[in-house]
Amino acid sequence: MSNPTPENRVPACLLPPKAGSIGLRDADAAMDMLPLTKLPYGLLPKRNRYYQPPKMYLGYIVTYDWVDSMAKEHNLVAHAIGDEGNLCEDDLQTRQNVFKFVAKEAGVTSFVPALSAIYPFPGMTPGDWLLTVMSSYDDRPAGSPTNSDIHKIQLYLKKAEPPKWYVSALHWKWGVLHSTQLDRALENHITTVMDHYRGKLYSWDVIMPLQDDVYMISDNAPNEIFIDNICAQKFGEEVMAKGLHMRVP
């Protein structure tokens, strides 16, 4: 096998720990070199392997204040009934409204942007988030999102450079977990939750936590059904059957 080209070579600090444990080779150094202009092949997830890389996002830095101002300026603020019966802002739906609006105004049809929390990098300030174009774990049809649509987002946001790759704040580690451990973790989680609420709740939808926000906000992504979590990565569609099989009566 030939040596990888510099643009495909994973930076040393983003390699997995030498002992093969969970984490990064050098987390402090990783902060100093982010973001990446290109995504190395070695940071793409590998099917049928238990040891997987961190989740990477392609996108542009925006502030939460920007999202809030967009919602108010264009009358996109959504509301819902709170726990005490009062009317309150529905933050998730408001963000979804903003991103649908941005996609429509920019003329983007191959994807709907999202808001993602990212791993710290030099120059990052409080309130910085990522307007995400795609992630390294996305299972999208070929050509989606299109380069043309990515450029339209760049023009809409008035950014001078193309989007860059950032590390997820929630899934920033290399990690490994075998299927038997996953079975046990899934069963323990379901059992613990249902025992805790036994006699308090009539039912609990085990499958809902595995549904992807993208599925709910994007009309052009009908196949994106599962959240990118460790269970979905390893079980795929089997996680639904396992979850239902393991439920406590």
Side-chain angles (χ1 to χ4, degrees), residues 10-112:
V10 178
C13 58
L14 290 175
L15 289 171
K18 292 183 178 180
S21 58
I22 293 174
L24 291 175
R25 181 74 58 86
D26 189 335
D28 291 336
M31 291 178 60
D32 292 336
M33 71 164 305
L34 293 172
L36 304 177
T37 56
K38 293 184 179 294
L39 181 67
Y41 176 78
L43 288 179
L44 289 173
K46 308 299 187 293
R47 293 187 181 276
N48 302 320
R49 291 189 181 182
Y50 295 119
Y51 203 63
Q52 297 290 357
K55 185 174 185 178
M56 305 290 294
Y57 289 122
L58 178 68
Y60 291 104
I61 296 297
V62 296
T63 65
Y64 201 87
D65 287 342
W66 176 82
V67 178
D68 185 58
S69 65
M70 287 286 291
K72 293 176 179 177
E73 179 181 352
H74 300 285
N75 196 29
L76 301 171
V77 178
H79 294 87
I81 303 299
D83 295 337
E84 299 179 359
N86 56 316
L87 192 65
C88 57
E89 183 175 340
D90 187 333
D91 191 53
L92 176 60
Q93 186 60 55
T94 296
R95 294 203 308 264
Q96 293 171 0
N97 291 345
V98 168
F99 299 135
K100 284 184 177 181
F101 176 83
V102 168
K104 182 178 180 180
E105 289 295 297
V108 170
T109 58
S110 63
F111 69 96
V112 174

Side-chain angles (χ1 to χ4, degrees), residues 12-217:
C13 58
L14 290 175
L15 289 171
K18 292 183 178 180
S21 58
I22 293 174
L24 291 175
R25 181 74 58 86
D26 189 335
D28 291 336
M31 291 178 60
D32 292 336
M33 71 164 305
L34 293 172
L36 304 177
T37 56
K38 293 184 179 294
L39 181 67
Y41 176 78
L43 288 179
L44 289 173
K46 308 299 187 293
R47 293 187 181 276
N48 302 320
R49 291 189 181 182
Y50 295 119
Y51 203 63
Q52 297 290 357
K55 185 174 185 178
M56 305 290 294
Y57 289 122
L58 178 68
Y60 291 104
I61 296 297
V62 296
T63 65
Y64 201 87
D65 287 342
W66 176 82
V67 178
D68 185 58
S69 65
M70 287 286 291
K72 293 176 179 177
E73 179 181 352
H74 300 285
N75 196 29
L76 301 171
V77 178
H79 294 87
I81 303 299
D83 295 337
E84 299 179 359
N86 56 316
L87 192 65
C88 57
E89 183 175 340
D90 187 333
D91 191 53
L92 176 60
Q93 186 60 55
T94 296
R95 294 203 308 264
Q96 293 171 0
N97 291 345
V98 168
F99 299 135
K100 284 184 177 181
F101 176 83
V102 168
K104 182 178 180 180
E105 289 295 297
V108 170
T109 58
S110 63
F111 69 96
V112 174
L115 196 67
S116 303
I118 52 175
Y119 196 78
F121 65 93
M124 185 176 182
T125 60
D128 281 352
W129 289 70
L130 194 72
L131 187 144
T132 304
V133 171
M134 64 181 297
S135 88
S136 56
Y137 279 82
D138 282 354
D139 185 16
R140 295 177 180 270
S144 173
T146 65
N147 290 332
S148 174
D149 278 353
I150 293 175
H151 185 61
K152 289 177 182 177
I153 290 291
Q154 178 181 340
L155 294 177
Y156 183 85
L157 296 176
K158 298 179 181 179
K159 300 290 186 178
E161 298 180 349
K164 295 182 180 180
W165 290 95
Y166 298 80
V167 178
S168 165
L170 300 178
H171 306 284
W172 59 272
K173 303 176 180 179
W174 285 82
V176 56
L177 202 57
H178 294 283
S179 59
T180 52
Q181 294 173 293
L182 284 171
D183 283 342
R184 192 177 305 115
L186 184 63
E187 184 172 9
N188 288 342
H189 172 68
I190 293 173
T191 302
T192 299
V193 172
M194 297 195 74
D195 280 346
H196 178 76
Y197 290 105
R198 189 183 299 275
K200 301 176 184 178
L201 295 179
Y202 172 74
S203 65
W204 175 44
D205 193 333
V206 177
I207 304 305
M208 277 300 292
L210 297 173
Q211 287 186 315
D212 193 341
D213 288 343
V214 177
Y215 180 71
M216 292 185 282
I217 68 174

